[in-house]
Amino acid sequence: MPATDEIVFIEPDVQSANNKEVSPQTSDDEAAVTNDASLTTMTPKRQASFQSAPMKNHHEDFLRKAVDVILNEAVFKATARTNKVLEWRQPEHLQRIFDFNLKENGISHDELLHVIKDTIQYSVKTGHPYFVNQLFSSLDPYGLIGQWLTDALNPSVYTYEVSPVFTLMEDVVLREMREIVGYENGKGDGIFCPGGSMANAYAISCARYKTNPSIKESGLHGGPRLVLFTSEDAHYSIKKMASLLGIGTSNVYMVKTDERAKMSVPHLVQEIKRAIDEGAKPFMVAATAGTTVLGAFDPLEDLADVCAEYGLWLHVDAAWGGGALMSAKHRHILKGIARADSVTWNPHKLLTAPQQCSTFLLKHEGLLSEVHSANASYLFQKDKFYDTSFDVGDKHVQCGRKADVFKFWFMWKAKGTAGFEQHVDKVFDNAQFFLKLIRERPGFRMVMDKPEFTNLCFWYVPPSLRDSVDSADYNTRLHRIAPKIKEKMMKKGSMMVSYQTIKNLPNFFRIVFQNSSLEYDDMVHLVEEFENLGCDL
Amino acid sequence: MPATDEIVFIEPDVQSANNKEVSPQTSDDEAAVTNDASLTTMTPKRQASFQSAPMKNHHEDFLRKAVDVILNEAVFKATARTNKVLEWRQPEHLQRIFDFNLKENGISHDELLHVIKDTIQYSVKTGHPYFVNQLFSSLDPYGLIGQWLTDALNPSVYTYEVSPVFTLMEDVVLREMREIVGYENGKGDGIFCPGGSMANAYAISCARYKTNPSIKESGLHGGPRLVLFTSEDAHYSIKKMASLLGIGTSNVYMVKTDERAKMSVPHLVQEIKRAIDEGAKPFMVAATAGTTVLGAFDPLEDLADVCAEYGLWLHVDAAWGGGALMSAKHRHILKGIARADSVTWNPHKLLTAPQQCSTFLLKHEGLLSEVHSANASYLFQKDKFYDTSFDVGDKHVQCGRKADVFKFWFMWKAKGTAGFEQHVDKVFDNAQFFLKLIRERPGFRMVMDKPEFTNLCFWYVPPSLRDSVDSADYNTRLHRIAPKIKEKMMKKGSMMVSYQTIKNLPNFFRIVFQNSSLEYDDMVHLVEEFENLGCDL
């Protein structure tokens, strides 16, 4: 192929290097430090270097100091009850505290350590016991070490040759999870993926392929209108992903939920019939086991019956609720899940693995690969010297993929299945304790009378409002309370609890119990903090 | 709502807790350790606990010991030239070394430390200077600390209230990157996403919406056949994502590449015309800046002209090549990129940020949100007490999203823009040195005469084959050489270089220069190692 004259390279002195007696195998850190002198000359004001590993001595010093700061500030202090959950600052204030802007020259190690401290100080401590704002929280020591080791090794899980240990761990963990779901002998397939939304996308992708395999090649144009069904309380990712996958949000039929926020089976059947009458092709029901806001569980047995009758793929989004499967006492709330074609289950939610740790599990062996393979010859060569069935990378839609398995496997080894069970039982117990507590105290009103899970939704009604339940503007006034309490809570930094509105209800709080280091005393503290913040409103 | 009798909870003693004098704000680690005694009773044989943070004393001890092992083994030793890149084991052998299986009970801290050591020993050291196997490598000390801090804080970047610092950092970094791409004043939009494949999916999603916004709601069925164009050397994710997004692999028209592996503009025009003649609707050209195997750069200026003429979205997959934009000397190879509608650029590739660190950048302000928003009321409440335009979560298709920005921002602060430029210039220089080296040595043959980038593709021809160039079975015999060398290399653990075949060429090696701590001596070493491994074949 012809040369180009566009490219002008410095002419490196090849001849002398070729003649030089070199034995790089014996070059060591000393040699590297010697080389470093020239770098110092190049950039005299900086202690940081543009090079990566092999680490130099001054890198080692920085790394050890930085790790100490992280352990002390972001791990131990950040999770202690005695400290604040957050140090609130408005964006414009934070922009004055930080020098966010990127400059021509780097800053010194001391300045970097300062930046680390500031980042910790003004970030939300999601590992703090009183961060009960999202469906993730906690800082698990084993999970953290697992994540840190993964980062240091910086692998990508697509071929056995690059990730031998993590490939085998994925196989074991996914099989074990399938067995817990109830798939016979843990058979089937699965993948770790970047979040529950992506796992739900895999479900739609597999279900769609199963309906008509030619979609992989030919796409959706020219085919029938595909319709999938999910409940109005399902996670918004179902709609988002249906849109991304070219199915369209309006082809996600929202099934009504009953008084316990569960998908209404009669309404589902009605909607399936409507779709058929319209000439569309129903292909999937996306059930939820643990809805995002109210923590409801769809009636999986009944849904499985409906899916069997109409030939639909049953997916269960158990991103949040899946962890309950590890408790003999509580797994009944997911009864029927073994009949699902596929399951989303995020260990980074109820089981407190560090983010991200999401799995997509399915009953159908080999399907993931059939749906998603592209047979890239540069990565998945078949003339390798080992069994290339261990090269799992062609099953997924990512190319590079983080080894999210290790932290979870490591936690599992540390705690055992029994440890996860104790953890789950404890957060259920805490939730139940909290529920009883607020039922007995004035001013708290439950959104759902008998919640099933560990996210609890309630209103805090300040004394000023308690006698106005029947007034015309009661709901309007109540609606304004939660944002006000939230603002006070954030500015005080005492806890973080989210609020929201669904189905035109006034804004209410959702507290999430997921951190098993919380004790009954903490429940009392949380309740009292609502009273402190809200009593004067 | 009615109660259910399915759920049986232990009755927690609410009354006594309510009456107890509690001040959880003052409970501290001592108290936690006291509580821990009961845990020890529950599971007498384990040192590990089922609880997460707040950390107990024995957790702290474990964390510090484990971090020491990780720093010594997975950071310092793993990146030293004197050590092996990998310790190869076949899957069945690894399964005997490790007890991968998950058990009812956990193991002790000492056993966990042992597991950490084994995991390091049998994992590939991707930070080792002689791991030149993928488009990622290196272990950057600042990147690693940035990642570790992110893990400890365990944030999710969707709302300002949960990720104030990281939200603002994303804004700064993405704007700076857009400015480097050449977008006027850094205007536009962008997102950090889980890998370049996902970034390419965003591109297809935005381009598709721009063609016809009603696709978001109505989907692709019933619409015209959408066609996108990419080169036969483009990354396989374009096809994978076109399939996932419902467009179908057969509607990705593969444009021929010229002798320098660049997309042929005449053939592109021909293919666009063909699609139009077929009644299909062309909507996008996905160009590549730095192809995966050969490191080629498509002619972006010409492609921008074609896209302007036919009204097509121009996307540039610069996942691998984007880093070259930071070098004044080398950025010309991406000339024209500022005219692209969107760009994929992965700092975890050429710029050595830890995985994953991928960005999708686009010229069109507000479009990401328009295409992907679902307005989930539980997360994106509009009655918050701060400017909710900082809640970026509805722009993306994930819900929870890792703060991949921090490690990169932190590296940038450490090195400065100048540091990244030196890094890029050095790896280019190394690649050029390596190229000259193998041109002068017998047995090495380049796949492309004048490569433009830092991945170099070549054959190593053993002496036994050198005189048979004209024989009928030369290619067949040469094809078998690379797998044999690779096997010897892996088993020796001396380096890792990938091989592959494209376009029916015999298997060839691709070496990737991306780690700027490599010196000329290392180049000589790598060349000599090929000779050592291959000379007897």
Side-chain angles (χ1 to χ4, degrees):
Chain A
M1 299 181 184
T4 173
D5 48 11
E6 272 173 42
I7 301 158
V8 185
F9 286 104
I10 297 168
E11 293 292 307
D13 186 358
V14 175
Q15 208 51 50
S16 81
N18 257 338
N19 294 337
K20 231 169 91 186
E21 280 297 313
V22 280
S23 49
Q25 290 283 15
T26 62
S27 75
D28 55 20
D29 277 353
E30 268 66 54
V33 172
T34 314
N35 287 345
D36 218 31
S38 63
L39 295 179
T40 315
T41 317
M42 280 164 69
T43 54
K45 284 179 194 155
R46 295 191 294 116
Q47 290 171 260
S49 138
F50 72 89
Q51 293 188 354
S52 305
M55 299 295 170
K56 312 292 184 294
N57 285 352
H58 72 284
H59 285 154
E60 178 164 352
D61 176 64
F62 170 73
L63 278 168
R64 295 200 184 271
K65 278 185 186 157
V67 165
D68 245 28
V69 173
I70 295 174
L71 277 175
N72 293 334
E73 307 288 327
V75 177
F76 303 123
K77 284 192 195 165
T79 59
R81 288 175 176 81
T82 36
N83 295 317
K84 292 165 83 172
V85 177
L86 79 159
E87 188 73 50
W88 170 259
R89 293 291 183 278
Q90 289 285 354
E92 55 279 12
H93 192 169
L94 219 46
Q95 279 157 338
R96 285 195 299 273
I97 294 171
F98 276 84
D99 183 8
F100 284 121
N101 289 329
L102 302 160
K103 311 273 168 70
E104 184 63 15
N105 291 311
I107 62 179
S108 71
H109 284 171
D110 285 345
E111 290 169 300
L112 289 171
L113 291 172
H114 194 76
V115 164
I116 290 174
K117 286 179 191 163
D118 279 349
T119 302
I120 298 167
Q121 181 170 0
Y122 297 104
S123 287
V124 171
K125 278 69 178 180
T126 68
H128 193 288
Y130 303 150
F131 177 83
V132 282
N133 195 73
Q134 309 291 150
L135 300 183
F136 72 91
S137 69
S138 300
L139 186 58
D140 187 87
Y142 311 106
L144 182 66
I145 285 300
Q147 180 74 70
W148 281 5
L149 176 57
T150 312
D151 297 338
L153 293 171
N154 196 30
S156 185
V157 192
Y158 35 37
T159 60
Y160 180 82
E161 68 172 72
V162 172
S163 285
V165 178
F166 303 127
T167 298
L168 298 179
M169 283 177 182
E170 280 199 350
D171 188 52
V172 170
V173 171
L174 292 169
R175 186 162 18 88
E176 192 70 29
M177 291 177 82
R178 286 192 301 266
E179 205 151 322
I180 291 170
V181 162
Y183 291 164
E184 203 191 328
N185 297 320
K187 269 193 225 156
D189 209 341
I191 199 86
F192 280 82
C193 52
S197 297
M198 276 308 297
N200 287 339
Y202 274 110
I204 301 175
S205 175
C206 289
R208 184 176 73 176
Y209 178 90
K210 202 77 178 170
T211 289
N212 179 5
S214 75
I215 289 171
K216 179 180 181 177
E217 268 185 49
S218 309
L220 294 163
H221 95 100
R225 179 162 67 86
L226 296 180
V227 172
L228 72 98
F229 305 84
T230 199
S231 94
E232 54 189 353
D233 280 31
H235 190 253
Y236 69 93
S237 59
I238 301 292
K239 266 197 165 178
K240 259 198 188 186
M241 289 303 178
S243 180
L244 184 72
L245 269 65
I247 286 162
T249 52
S250 67
N251 296 314
V252 180
Y253 283 21
M254 306 306 277
V255 180
K256 285 181 192 157
T257 49
D258 65 17
E259 72 288 349
R260 300 194 64 211
K262 294 168 184 288
M263 193 191 287
S264 153
V265 179
H267 190 236
L268 169 65
V269 172
Q270 202 178 311
E271 287 294 278
I272 293 172
K273 286 180 178 160
R274 173 166 77 96
I276 294 168
D277 288 348
E278 290 165 351
K281 181 156 182 40
F283 75 108
M284 175 187 194
V285 173
T288 314
T291 60
T292 313
V293 178
L294 296 170
F297 289 74
D298 287 341
L300 303 182
E301 289 280 17
D302 296 344
L303 298 181
D305 289 342
V306 172
C307 286
E309 188 181 339
Y310 290 94
L312 310 182
W313 181 283
L314 177 60
H315 174 66
V316 179
D317 179 354
W320 169 225
L325 290 165
M326 300 199 78
S327 160
K329 188 168 152 192
H330 297 292
R331 60 171 286 135
H332 65 86
I333 52 177
L334 295 113
K335 197 161 175 286
I337 194 167
R339 293 176 63 192
D341 292 285
S342 61
V343 172
T344 293
W345 175 2
N346 291 5
H348 75 228
K349 289 195 162 78
L350 195 64
L351 301 181
T352 76
Q355 293 178 90
Q356 58 196 29
C357 193
S358 290
T359 64
F360 173 65
L361 307 167
L362 70 169
K363 194 178 258 172
H364 309 270
E365 232 164 327
L367 188 65
L368 267 177
S369 183
E370 223 179 291
V371 181
H372 301 112
S373 65
N375 298 309
S377 63
Y378 81 95
L379 209 48
F380 310 113
Q381 309 90 323
K382 294 300 172 204
D383 51 2
K384 287 177 178 175
F385 64 102
Y386 61 85
D387 175 0
T388 54
S389 70
F390 286 98
D391 290 355
V392 297
D394 216 18
K395 283 206 263 197
H396 50 80
V397 298
Q398 297 181 279
C399 176
R401 193 167 57 89
K402 293 203 77 172
D404 292 328
V405 65
F406 182 69
K407 55 195 167 197
F408 184 43
W409 179 88
F410 193 69
M411 285 172 74
W412 208 326
K413 288 305 263 193
K415 297 161 191 268
T417 308
F420 279 130
E421 180 164 28
Q422 288 166 1
H423 162 82
V424 170
D425 287 350
K426 186 159 181 200
V427 295
F428 264 93
D429 185 56
N430 276 345
Q432 193 59 12
F433 183 86
F434 184 90
L435 182 63
K436 286 181 171 282
L437 211 53
I438 61 174
R439 276 195 179 131
E440 295 186 1
R441 290 169 92 110
F444 290 89
R445 271 181 56 204
M446 292 303 295
V447 174
M448 254 196 337
D449 228 23
K450 192 77 186 178
E452 287 176 288
F453 205 31
T454 71
N455 38 337
L456 301 178
C457 294
F458 59 88
W459 289 278
Y460 175 74
V461 187
S464 67
L465 255 180
R466 286 183 203 161
D467 295 329
S468 333
V469 183
D470 299 323
S471 73
D473 64 346
Y474 176 79
N475 275 352
T476 313
R477 288 167 67 199
L478 184 58
H479 186 65
R480 293 194 202 112
I481 297 299
K484 281 185 198 155
I485 293 180
K486 177 82 180 210
E487 177 172 0
K488 289 176 77 174
M489 176 194 300
M490 294 285 288
K491 289 181 174 168
K492 189 176 169 190
S494 57
M495 60 179 179
M496 264 182 84
V497 188
S498 72
Y499 74 86
Q500 59 275 299
T501 167
I502 55 171
K503 297 182 182 177
N504 293 321
L505 290 171
N507 276 317
F508 56 86
F509 280 102
R510 178 196 65 175
I511 196 163
V512 184
F513 295 107
Q514 186 246 17
N515 182 337
S516 54
S517 68
L518 270 74
E519 305 293 342
Y520 287 175
D521 287 356
D522 293 310
M523 304 297 124
V524 177
H525 170 73
L526 291 166
V527 168
E528 287 176 349
E529 188 59 14
F530 273 101
E531 293 169 344
N532 291 337
L533 296 167
C535 62
D536 295 336
L537 297 176
Chain B
M1 300 183 184
T4 173
D5 48 11
E6 272 173 43
I7 300 157
V8 185
F9 286 104
I10 297 169
E11 293 292 307
D13 186 359
V14 175
Q15 209 51 50
S16 81
N18 258 338
N19 294 338
K20 231 169 91 186
E21 281 297 315
V22 281
S23 50
Q25 291 282 15
T26 62
S27 76
D28 55 19
D29 276 356
E30 268 67 56
V33 173
T34 315
N35 287 345
D36 218 31
S38 62
L39 295 180
T40 315
T41 318
M42 280 163 68
T43 54
K45 284 181 193 152
R46 294 193 294 117
Q47 289 171 261
S49 136
F50 72 89
Q51 293 188 354
S52 304
M55 299 295 169
K56 313 293 184 294
N57 285 353
H58 74 283
H59 284 154
E60 177 164 353
D61 176 64
F62 170 73
L63 278 168
R64 295 199 185 273
K65 278 185 186 154
V67 165
D68 246 27
V69 173
I70 295 174
L71 277 175
N72 293 334
E73 307 289 327
V75 177
F76 303 123
K77 284 192 195 164
T79 59
R81 289 176 176 80
T82 36
N83 295 316
K84 290 165 84 172
V85 176
L86 80 159
E87 188 73 50
W88 170 258
R89 292 291 183 277
Q90 289 285 353
E92 55 280 11
H93 192 170
L94 219 46
Q95 279 157 338
R96 285 196 299 272
I97 294 171
F98 276 84
D99 183 8
F100 284 122
N101 289 328
L102 302 160
K103 310 274 169 68
E104 184 63 14
N105 291 310
I107 61 179
S108 70
H109 283 171
D110 284 345
E111 290 169 300
L112 289 171
L113 291 172
H114 193 77
V115 164
I116 290 174
K117 285 178 191 164
D118 279 349
T119 302
I120 298 168
Q121 182 170 358
Y122 297 105
S123 287
V124 172
K125 278 69 179 179
T126 67
H128 192 289
Y130 302 149
F131 177 82
V132 283
N133 195 75
Q134 309 290 152
L135 301 182
F136 72 91
S137 70
S138 300
L139 186 59
D140 186 88
Y142 311 106
L144 181 66
I145 285 299
Q147 180 74 69
W148 281 5
L149 176 56
T150 312
D151 297 338
L153 293 170
N154 196 30
S156 186
V157 192
Y158 35 37
T159 60
Y160 180 81
E161 68 173 70
V162 171
S163 285
V165 178
F166 303 127
T167 298
L168 298 179
M169 282 177 183
E170 280 199 350
D171 189 53
V172 170
V173 172
L174 292 169
R175 186 162 17 88
E176 192 71 28
M177 291 177 82
R178 286 192 300 267
E179 205 150 323
I180 291 170
V181 163
Y183 290 163
E184 202 192 328
N185 296 321
K187 269 192 222 158
D189 209 342
I191 199 86
F192 280 81
C193 52
S197 297
M198 277 307 298
N200 288 338
Y202 274 110
I204 301 175
S205 176
C206 289
R208 183 176 74 176
Y209 178 91
K210 202 77 181 170
T211 290
N212 179 5
S214 75
I215 289 171
K216 179 180 181 178
E217 267 185 50
S218 309
L220 294 164
H221 95 100
R225 180 162 67 87
L226 296 179
V227 172
L228 72 98
F229 305 84
T230 199
S231 95
E232 53 189 355
D233 280 33
H235 190 255
Y236 70 93
S237 59
I238 300 293
K239 267 197 163 177
K240 258 198 189 187
M241 289 303 178
S243 181
L244 184 73
L245 269 66
I247 286 162
T249 52
S250 68
N251 296 314
V252 180
Y253 282 22
M254 306 306 277
V255 181
K256 284 181 191 159
T257 50
D258 65 17
E259 73 289 349
R260 300 193 65 211
K262 293 169 184 286
M263 193 191 286
S264 153
V265 180
H267 190 235
L268 169 64
V269 173
Q270 202 178 310
E271 286 295 277
I272 293 171
K273 286 179 178 161
R274 172 166 78 96
I276 294 169
D277 288 347
E278 290 165 352
K281 180 156 182 44
F283 74 107
M284 175 187 194
V285 173
T288 314
T291 59
T292 313
V293 178
L294 296 170
F297 289 74
D298 287 340
L300 304 181
E301 290 279 17
D302 296 343
L303 298 181
D305 289 341
V306 173
C307 286
E309 187 180 342
Y310 289 93
L312 309 182
W313 181 284
L314 176 60
H315 174 65
V316 179
D317 178 355
W320 169 225
L325 289 166
M326 299 199 79
S327 160
K329 189 167 152 192
H330 297 291
R331 60 172 287 134
H332 66 86
I333 52 177
L334 295 112
K335 195 159 177 286
I337 195 168
R339 293 177 64 192
D341 292 285
S342 61
V343 172
T344 293
W345 175 2
N346 291 5
H348 76 227
K349 289 195 163 78
L350 195 65
L351 301 180
T352 76
Q355 293 178 89
Q356 57 196 29
C357 193
S358 290
T359 64
F360 173 64
L361 307 167
L362 69 170
K363 193 179 259 173
H364 309 270
E365 231 164 328
L367 187 65
L368 268 177
S369 184
E370 222 178 291
V371 182
H372 301 113
S373 65
N375 299 310
S377 62
Y378 81 95
L379 208 49
F380 309 114
Q381 310 90 320
K382 294 299 171 205
D383 51 2
K384 287 177 177 173
F385 64 101
Y386 61 86
D387 176 0
T388 54
S389 70
F390 286 99
D391 290 354
V392 296
D394 216 18
K395 281 206 262 197
H396 50 80
V397 298
Q398 296 181 277
C399 175
R401 192 167 57 88
K402 293 203 77 173
D404 291 328
V405 64
F406 182 69
K407 56 195 166 196
F408 184 43
W409 179 87
F410 193 69
M411 285 173 73
W412 208 326
K413 287 306 263 193
K415 295 161 192 268
T417 307
F420 278 129
E421 179 163 28
Q422 287 165 2
H423 162 81
V424 171
D425 287 350
K426 186 159 180 200
V427 294
F428 263 93
D429 184 56
N430 276 345
Q432 193 60 12
F433 183 85
F434 185 89
L435 182 63
K436 286 180 171 280
L437 211 52
I438 62 175
R439 275 193 179 132
E440 295 187 1
R441 290 169 92 110
F444 289 90
R445 271 181 56 204
M446 292 303 295
V447 174
M448 255 197 335
D449 228 23
K450 192 77 186 177
E452 287 176 288
F453 204 33
T454 71
N455 38 336
L456 301 178
C457 294
F458 59 87
W459 289 278
Y460 175 73
V461 187
S464 66
L465 254 180
R466 286 183 202 160
D467 295 330
S468 333
V469 182
D470 299 322
S471 73
D473 63 347
Y474 176 78
N475 273 354
T476 313
R477 287 167 67 196
L478 184 58
H479 186 64
R480 293 195 200 112
I481 298 298
K484 281 185 198 156
I485 293 179
K486 177 82 181 211
E487 177 173 359
K488 289 176 79 175
M489 176 195 299
M490 294 286 287
K491 288 180 174 169
K492 187 176 171 190
S494 57
M495 59 179 180
M496 265 182 84
V497 188
S498 72
Y499 74 86
Q500 59 274 299
T501 167
I502 54 170
K503 297 183 181 176
N504 294 320
L505 290 171
N507 276 318
F508 56 86
F509 280 102
R510 178 196 65 176
I511 197 164
V512 184
F513 295 106
Q514 185 245 20
N515 181 335
S516 53
S517 69
L518 270 74
E519 306 293 343
Y520 286 176
D521 286 355
D522 293 310
M523 304 297 124
V524 177
H525 170 72
L526 291 166
V527 168
E528 287 176 350
E529 188 59 13
F530 272 102
E531 293 169 343
N532 290 336
L533 295 168
C535 62
D536 294 336
L537 297 176

